[in-house]
Amino acid sequence: MAYVITQRCCNDASCVPECPVDCIRPTPEQREFATTEQLYIDPDTCIDCGACVDACPVDAIFSEDDLLASLARFSDINAAYFQRHPLESNFEPLVAPSRAPKELGTLRVAIVGAGPAACYAAEELLRRADVEVELFDRLPTPYGLVRAGVAPDHPGTKSVAGLFESAFRREALQYRLNVEVGKHISHEELLAHHHAVIYAVGAATDRHLGIPGEDLPGSHSATEFVAWYNGHPDFADREFDLSGERAVIVGNGNVALDVARVLTVDPDELAKTDIADHALDALRRSNITEVVVLGRRGPLQAAYTSPEFLALTHLKGVDIIVDPEDLVLDPASQAELDDPEVEPSLQLKYTLAQEYAAGSRKPDNKRIVFRYLVSPTAITGDGKAEAVEYVHNELVEENGRTVARASDRTGSVEASLVLRSIGYKGEPVADVPFDESAGVIPNDKGRVLAAGNPVAGVYVSGWIKRGPRGVIGSNRMDSQETVDQLIEDFTQGKLAAPQAGRAALEALLSERQPDQIGRDGWKAIDAAEKTAGKFAGRPRVKFTSVENLLKAAKG
């Protein structure tokens, strides 16, 4: 028997240092770590101790004997990784990161944002310094995309919030929720009350297609749709046309797969999750029976990960459709697949697509249809979205890379709902440098730069630092890197001492934002949602308006 890492792996590497025989790969020090879809356990080396299970924040690790049918394939997936990457035996214990010297006194840090990047940074600071952390967010609730971005049918991924709840029980960290930086407090005022400010504000906007008809009613970003069904207060009142029988999603990353599942899964299944009530009601009335997922490149280059693609196998009442003709590979892709050094995850992507292409169909089932090598050229309709026109692409090799180029073949697909899911982009932060082209705050390992020089006391973490890449757990190492720089600067005396402390900050915020929500308010919201969920047989029933969240915070 061995332990197996499965689909919900968050890649935060909490399990790696806990393994007494060092059999979890890739490690953060390895080049493969930045791009891996998940972590893996070597079955030939694992001694079945279970230390990794206790360390995993999202309950992704199981004994091989305890794998559910839907996860059984991950036993082979873990083993295949080590056939391609044999386990090296030069194990060296990880060196604990340095702490800020106690004699320097209390380090005060403001963190703007309360999503995964912010929370990992806060956790790291609490472990490594005598610190006071103020965690700011403009919403009345913490945890960002964990709450408002992770699909409701992925509750295991959301459980990372439990890690943060446990770490944040100390008074050293204070929640400053429902407080908007730039409105209730300025950047300069943050610096006046802290040694340092970390901006972990994510990538708040989505990328546009730039095609005619993109702004027609019925055409939206997947970002809006995800926030709507997750109960984000800014999007709870949005309306989406679910009256037609087909929806089209442009883009085929993991978010596109989330949306496709939510649109096709039996609402009775979603009723067991924390999906927003208004979304559940709308989905019960939905007429959509088919979701078409458009990708501009081929099945080997698809943006989704193989674990998420594999999970579609187990959807009840939903057929996954792939056209066998789309699996005919161009010479470069075929050579890549035939290479004995090919990554197992890439081979799995193609194998799954073949299995879906050959799968059986049930007439009464809903359908998720994958179309590869197509790019939308226009969204058309009489006053609303009614169809997506597209061009077929061909894969060509340019400068050693396989790229998609438009051919002269065109087509169209009817749809009453069109959702673009082609990536996120960061927005500028007031009084902080910003790179418009990259959509990030310019930085060197987390130190914010202006004209190439570090801005004293200002740091970044997460997507606003590196761009919208990686999963929730990717933020752990990213935040550790940022905190390394911050503690180094504090130790070397490069950070100006605060002009005022926590009491002065509290007085300022009480005057500027009387509806500020702290720890007790968030605990009241959390308890009220969970209590409502208990009566409904669900994890929680979310409050989806700021007004109701404030009422819950006040008991």
Side-chain angles (χ1 to χ4, degrees):
M1 184 187 76
Y3 281 89
V4 177
I5 300 179
T6 64
Q7 173 194 344
R8 65 178 65 154
C9 176
C10 73
N11 290 29
D12 87 343
S14 295
C15 56
V16 172
E18 301 303 317
C19 179
V21 291
D22 187 39
C23 71
I24 303 176
R25 292 292 183 275
T27 67
E29 295 78 18
Q30 294 179 302
R31 178 172 51 84
E32 297 88 356
F33 183 82
T35 56
T36 190
E37 292 186 337
Q38 65 164 83
L39 305 186
Y40 307 87
I41 294 174
D42 181 13
D44 295 331
T45 308
C46 176
I47 59 172
D48 313 331
C49 70
C52 55
V53 178
D54 295 334
C56 180
V58 294
D59 300 325
I61 307 177
F62 297 86
S63 164
E64 193 172 25
D65 292 343
D66 295 334
L67 288 172
L68 300 173
S70 61
L71 300 176
R73 200 163 180 170
F74 281 91
S75 180
D76 293 336
I77 291 171
N78 277 244
Y81 179 84
F82 290 95
Q83 293 171 6
R84 169 68 180 84
H85 300 278
L87 191 67
E88 71 279 10
S89 58
N90 56 338
F91 172 57
E92 295 183 7
L94 295 176
V95 177
S98 61
R99 281 187 55 88
K102 288 182 177 293
E103 58 268 22
L104 293 179
T106 301
L107 170 63
R108 282 189 48 74
V109 181
I111 301 179
V112 182
C119 290
Y120 275 118
E123 183 204 20
E124 189 74 12
L125 284 164
L126 290 168
R127 288 194 301 109
R128 295 178 56 186
D130 291 331
V131 68
E132 289 180 348
V133 177
E134 314 291 338
L135 194 65
F136 289 83
D137 200 283
R138 69 178 185 84
L139 293 177
T141 56
Y143 307 138
L145 288 181
V146 174
R147 179 179 171 97
V150 175
D153 61 347
H154 279 19
T157 305
K158 294 173 183 279
S159 61
V160 71
L163 168 72
F164 302 138
E165 289 283 2
S166 178
F168 296 169
R169 290 174 183 166
R170 294 163 47 191
E171 291 297 314
L173 180 137
Q174 293 294 326
Y175 292 99
R176 306 292 182 181
L177 306 175
N178 204 37
V179 176
E180 185 172 348
V181 174
K183 177 181 178 181
H184 300 118
I185 188 169
S186 69
H187 171 71
E188 290 302 322
E189 287 171 327
L190 285 178
L191 285 174
H193 288 81
H194 304 86
H195 290 91
V197 181
I198 299 176
Y199 285 95
V201 294
T205 60
D206 58 278
R207 297 185 181 277
H208 290 260
L209 294 167
I211 60 175
E214 186 172 9
D215 296 327
L216 280 172
S219 171
H220 311 267
S221 73
T223 305
E224 296 173 63
F225 190 72
V226 169
W228 171 75
Y229 67 60
N230 273 318
H232 191 298
D234 291 352
F235 298 89
D237 60 351
R238 297 295 171 91
E239 293 184 2
F240 297 89
D241 184 1
L242 307 180
S243 63
E245 295 185 354
R246 181 184 291 119
V248 167
I249 303 173
V250 180
N252 59 11
N254 285 348
V255 172
L257 269 57
D258 287 346
V259 171
R261 290 197 317 275
V262 167
L263 285 169
T264 53
V265 165
D266 187 339
D268 286 343
E269 292 296 315
L270 292 174
K272 302 171 186 176
T273 74
D274 68 352
I275 190 170
D277 284 346
H278 59 252
L280 184 61
D281 291 342
L283 290 166
R284 288 194 186 281
R285 300 189 302 270
S286 171
N287 292 325
I288 290 176
T289 58
E290 180 176 281
V291 176
V292 179
V293 181
L294 304 181
R296 65 185 178 88
R297 298 194 293 174
L300 289 189
Q301 297 84 23
Y304 52 70
T305 60
S306 56
E308 291 298 319
F309 198 37
L310 170 60
L312 299 179
T313 304
H314 305 284
L315 293 183
K316 296 178 182 178
V318 181
D319 289 335
I320 310 303
I321 310 297
V322 173
D323 187 339
E325 291 188 8
D326 281 351
L327 301 183
V328 178
L329 300 178
D330 64 286
S333 296
Q334 187 65 59
E336 184 178 14
L337 194 63
D338 293 340
D339 188 338
E341 300 276 298
V342 65
E343 286 294 331
S345 59
L346 190 64
Q347 178 68 64
L348 179 60
K349 269 187 181 180
Y350 190 71
T351 299
L352 289 169
Q354 289 178 309
E355 292 175 3
Y356 291 139
S360 59
R361 312 283 182 248
K362 294 183 179 179
D364 294 335
N365 278 1
K366 294 181 180 180
R367 297 154 51 98
I368 299 176
V369 180
F370 286 86
R371 291 190 182 176
Y372 302 98
L373 290 170
V374 292
S375 293
T377 54
I379 298 171
T380 60
D382 185 9
K384 64 177 182 177
E386 295 176 343
V388 178
E389 296 181 354
Y390 57 82
V391 62
H392 289 270
N393 295 323
E394 296 176 347
L395 292 180
V396 297
E397 192 168 354
E398 291 185 1
N399 300 320
R401 296 175 62 243
T402 301
V403 297
R405 287 285 177 262
S407 70
D408 56 2
R409 294 189 301 131
T410 61
S412 67
V413 56
E414 294 182 357
S416 59
L417 176 66
V418 181
L419 300 170
R420 65 180 182 274
S421 182
I422 57 173
Y424 298 89
K425 187 176 182 181
E427 289 187 310
V429 174
D431 302 319
V432 178
F434 190 71
D435 183 336
E436 287 284 355
S437 60
V440 299
I441 294 174
N443 69 94
D444 178 19
K445 296 181 179 179
R447 289 187 179 100
V448 171
L449 302 176
N453 298 312
V455 180
V458 187
Y459 304 83
V460 282
S461 184
W463 281 1
I464 197 66
K465 169 186 174 183
R466 68 182 187 274
R469 301 185 303 276
V471 293
I472 286 173
S474 307
N475 293 297
R476 182 169 181 261
M477 303 309 299
D478 180 286
S479 296
Q480 181 176 311
E481 179 184 63
T482 294
V483 172
D484 283 343
Q485 314 310 311
L486 192 159
I487 287 182
E488 179 181 309
D489 291 346
F490 180 57
T491 302
Q492 295 180 0
K494 296 181 179 179
L495 303 182
Q499 299 169 22
R502 178 169 277 179
L505 178 67
E506 180 65 44
L508 175 66
L509 293 177
S510 295
E511 179 183 346
R512 300 263 184 88
Q513 173 54 313
D515 288 327
Q516 174 192 186
I517 293 176
R519 183 191 314 279
D520 291 343
W522 160 238
K523 286 173 67 175
I525 293 170
D526 190 40
E529 290 185 338
K530 288 178 177 176
T531 298
K534 187 178 296 184
F535 284 109
R538 303 170 62 186
R540 69 172 68 232
V541 174
K542 291 177 179 174
F543 299 110
T544 60
S545 71
V546 171
E547 179 184 5
N548 287 335
L549 286 163
L550 290 176
K551 288 180 180 178
K554 296 172 182 177

